[in-house]
Amino acid sequence: MDNLFIYILRIADCSLILGQRMSEWCSKGPTLEEDIALSNIGLDLFGQANGFYEYASKIDGNKSADELAFKRNEREFFNYQISEQKNGHFGTTMVRNFLRDAFKYLFYNELSKSKDETLAALASKSIKEVKYHLRHSSNWIIRLGDGTNESNEKVQKSLDFLWQFTGEFFEMDEIDNKMLQEGIGVDNKKLKNEWNKIIIDTLNKGKLNKPEDGYMASGSKKGIHTEHLGFLLAEMQYLPRAYPDAKW
Amino acid sequence: MNEKNFQEKIEKEQKIEPKDWMPDGYRNHLIRQMSQHAHSEVIGMQPEGNWITRAPSLRAKMILLAKVQDEAGHGLYLYSACETLGISREELVQQLHDEKAKYSSIFNYPTLTWADMGAIGWLVDGAAIVNQVSLQRTSYGPYSRAMIKICKEESFHQRQGYEIMAEMAKGTAEQKAMAQDALNRFWWPSIMMFGPQDSESPRSGNAMKWKIKRQTNDELRQNFIDKTVGQAEVIGLTIPDPDLKWNEERGHYDFGEMDWDEFWNVVNGNGPCNQQRLDHHKKAHEDGAWVRKAAREYAKKNTIN
Ligand SMILES: [Fe+2]
Ligand SMILES: [Fe+2]
Ligand SMILES: [Fe+2]
């Protein structure tokens, strides 16, 4: 399959899957204001996913954006495993989002300089949103970290657990390298320093400890996932799969 | 003297504002009605929230999530308007949890298929609009302004719901059956949203005198039915009421007898989802307690820019 096509799918999948997780929060937020904010982030992510899928669909020439989202199986999804991790409590959601937002912010910044004009434009549009997401999640990391003992402990625990999913951000495989050589893709390895700075700065403000790099999960670039993704897809894809002839 | 001035103002169609003198009965009636309205917006997020993760296309997902988010915004806006009467949001939510305050019974019905997203937008938001357009002329300023603001979005919701129904009605046989089934289940609960018949409604008297309410339940219900029948016809769905018939003389549709036993049953807590809706709201509130506490503690210590 086309390298660019896969490259775009990876980006789109990441937004879709996290968007799906964010939409699970609807009517469950800790305040009404926060409920609205979480939905907002979900909406941004679905919008991003849609944009990237449309582009992938154009390159593929075969499947529509919706088919890409609703008619692929677990092993054909390429989102980072962190995106599919369960919401857990509010602190876990914020840690997951924060680790990812910081990376995505740097990633889209680089991608906006891509030789591929469509990708560059999609990235530029996404930066503005991710910048807001990062501010939102960092503020919560700081508030919860420096709130009560209970909130600090809870968030530290989430952080210690989710840290293993951050290694994937900086992996480069053959497709990534080809895209980089062609001036289309991003050198993820190069983003690690900046990412570390953002993470350390925010964790310090929140009186939280940065976990040591230990075992790191890997595999999403080959469609390897945690068990959560299968259930997420089963729920998300059920209608288009149950009624393949229907238009909605 | 106060009372006379107040009523004169009402007669002259001047709005009552938070700092104006008002009778206790007026204030209490408003708190009850506005908080019930706010709770309805918020509890109403659940039956539709139920389908966001299963929406069948990217577009449908975004529309539904945005819609439910709007409802949260309406709730927020109405809580603020209600707070102008001297009661806090915390107290209002506590009343909801203590089952002292109610919300619209329509949200105690389960959403069983995707077509229910169409039926709710079309019928439930449709009925809400009829009620809220009338309330734009309500005598209490903050409530009136809230209704003007909210109605624009509700019209949007109504059109989006109708679009889902129309799309399904002209889709596969299974889709059409699903749409008809949703209409069958939501029709009667929707027309009961306007409350008991005028002959049964105990509080209408003062509410009409104070111009909180501008039209009676029966007038509003008739208005809704009259404008909805044609919409069903256009998309080829059948309203589940054999007595529904145009009455030339009245210039309105005649319609069948509503099942008031069911209505009161659901109002009094025995609907299919009453317990579930309230438990869900309480759980979210309790799960969020440590977050709100941490935010308060943090704010005491710092300021975030
Ligand atoms: Fe609403
Ligand atoms: Fe409403
Ligand atoms: Fe609405």
Side-chain angles (χ1 to χ4, degrees), chain A residues 218-232:
Chain A
S218 176
S220 65
K221 285 184 200 289
K222 301 218 153 10
I224 301 290
H225 291 278
T226 58
E227 288 179 347
H228 307 305
L229 184 69
F231 290 97
L232 182 151

Side-chain angles (χ1 to χ4, degrees), chain B:
Chain B
M1 188 58 205
N2 273 339
E3 179 105 44
K4 195 166 157 263
N5 280 345
F6 171 81
Q7 194 60 40
E8 270 171 20
K9 238 178 161 176
I10 301 254
E11 299 306 330
K12 281 191 254 170
E13 296 290 329
Q14 288 170 358
K15 297 289 179 225
I16 305 300
E17 295 300 333
K19 290 204 171 87
D20 296 343
W21 185 91
M22 62 185 85
D24 287 345
Y26 179 82
R27 185 185 301 274
N28 292 335
H29 187 106
L30 277 171
I31 289 176
R32 189 172 55 238
Q33 182 170 334
M34 290 169 73
S35 70
Q36 179 169 335
H37 197 159
H39 297 325
S40 300
E41 302 282 355
V42 172
I43 297 289
M45 295 167 72
Q46 293 180 40
E48 290 179 289
N50 185 31
W51 278 90
I52 293 170
T53 57
R54 292 177 289 172
S57 70
L58 291 165
R59 179 172 176 270
K61 228 179 219 322
M62 288 190 268
I63 289 176
L64 185 60
L65 181 54
K67 193 236 185 211
V68 180
Q69 187 194 34
D70 283 347
E71 306 300 2
H74 297 170
L76 203 53
Y77 203 68
L78 279 160
Y79 282 128
S80 303
C82 197
E83 283 184 316
T84 63
L85 292 159
I87 186 162
S88 71
R89 204 206 301 181
E90 291 69 40
E91 287 173 278
L92 295 170
V93 170
Q94 195 56 52
Q95 287 176 357
L96 174 69
H97 290 175
D98 295 342
E99 300 183 43
K100 284 177 191 150
K102 294 198 184 301
Y103 57 86
S104 176
S105 282
I106 191 74
F107 302 119
N108 288 322
Y109 291 89
T111 52
L112 302 178
T113 73
W114 174 251
D116 293 9
M117 297 306 99
I120 289 185
W122 175 32
L123 302 174
V124 176
D125 287 75
I129 292 166
V130 169
N131 189 32
Q132 288 170 186
V133 164
S134 179
L135 284 170
Q136 290 179 353
R137 291 165 53 235
T138 195
S139 58
Y140 187 54
Y143 195 23
S144 162
R145 290 188 288 275
M147 290 301 100
I148 292 166
K149 191 175 152 143
I150 286 172
C151 266
K152 288 188 196 129
E153 287 180 352
E154 302 291 16
S155 315
F156 220 68
H157 300 165
Q158 197 262 353
R159 256 176 294 155
Q160 287 164 342
Y162 187 60
E163 189 198 301
I164 291 177
M165 286 304 252
E167 202 61 43
M168 291 184 75
K170 68 170 193 225
T172 65
E174 277 169 316
Q175 282 179 299
K176 181 160 187 184
M178 231 187 260
Q180 182 62 53
D181 172 60
L183 173 56
N184 292 349
R185 282 180 290 111
F186 276 95
W187 174 254
W188 291 102
S190 296
I191 66 170
M192 287 195 266
M193 278 173 70
F194 296 97
Q197 283 155 302
D198 294 344
S199 51
E200 307 280 325
S201 184
R203 280 191 281 269
S204 293
N206 271 335
M208 296 294 277
K209 183 182 120 196
W210 288 330
K211 299 195 180 179
I212 294 176
K213 218 171 147 71
R214 306 303 307 247
Q215 287 171 288
T216 70
N217 293 354
D218 286 341
E219 285 165 358
L220 293 166
R221 184 166 15 244
Q222 185 73 60
N223 179 348
F224 172 69
I225 290 171
D226 288 350
K227 74 172 201 175
T228 308
V229 173
Q231 295 170 354
E233 277 165 10
V234 169
I235 57 175
L237 295 179
T238 309
I239 289 176
D241 178 358
D243 297 323
L244 195 68
K245 214 172 63 207
W246 179 251
N247 183 325
E248 196 65 59
E249 235 168 87
R250 290 204 308 126
H252 291 294
Y253 280 94
D254 290 336
F255 52 94
E257 191 60 37
M258 288 165 277
D259 183 350
W260 291 108
D261 288 342
E262 176 183 314
F263 174 81
W264 287 114
N265 222 352
V266 180
V267 168
N268 291 323
N270 302 315
C273 297
N274 292 56
Q275 193 64 45
Q276 181 187 331
R277 301 289 186 242
L278 203 56
D279 285 350
H280 178 111
H281 194 274
K282 283 183 190 167
K283 183 176 187 309
H285 194 72
E286 283 159 18
D287 287 350
W290 70 274
V291 177
R292 295 191 299 276
K293 188 174 174 206
R296 274 197 307 275
E297 288 300 314
Y298 180 82
K300 267 191 228 163
K301 292 188 263 182
N302 306 276
T303 43
I304 271 190
N305 39 32

Side-chain angles (χ1 to χ4, degrees), chain A residues 139-173:
Chain A
N139 280 350
W140 273 114
I141 294 302
I142 297 168
R143 262 190 222 119
L144 296 174
D146 190 19
T148 62
N149 286 339
E150 184 196 9
S151 66
N152 178 282
E153 274 165 31
K154 277 186 131 122
V155 172
Q156 184 67 54
K157 216 170 150 191
S158 307
L159 190 59
D160 293 343
F161 172 70
L162 287 167
W163 194 255
Q164 62 184 301
F165 296 106
T166 60
E168 282 200 323
F169 296 152
F170 310 104
E171 290 178 353
M172 293 287 283
D173 71 352

Side-chain angles (χ1 to χ4, degrees), chain A residues 229-243:
Chain A
L229 184 69
F231 290 97
L232 182 151
L233 293 180
E235 184 174 339
M236 184 179 80
Q237 298 180 335
Y238 129 79
L239 272 173
R241 294 213 186 242
Y243 304 94

Side-chain angles (χ1 to χ4, degrees), chain A residues 22 25-44 90 132 136, chain B residues 42 45 65-77 89:
Chain A
M22 296 314 287
W25 268 105
C26 188
S27 82
K28 302 186 189 108
T31 63
L32 209 42
E33 288 83 348
E34 195 51 37
D35 210 295
I36 292 170
L38 296 172
S39 288
N40 243 333
I41 294 166
L43 282 168
D44 285 345
F90 182 75
Y132 157 75
H136 175 266
Chain B
V42 172
M45 295 167 72
L65 181 54
K67 193 236 185 211
V68 180
Q69 187 194 34
D70 283 347
E71 306 300 2
H74 297 170
L76 203 53
Y77 203 68
R89 204 206 301 181

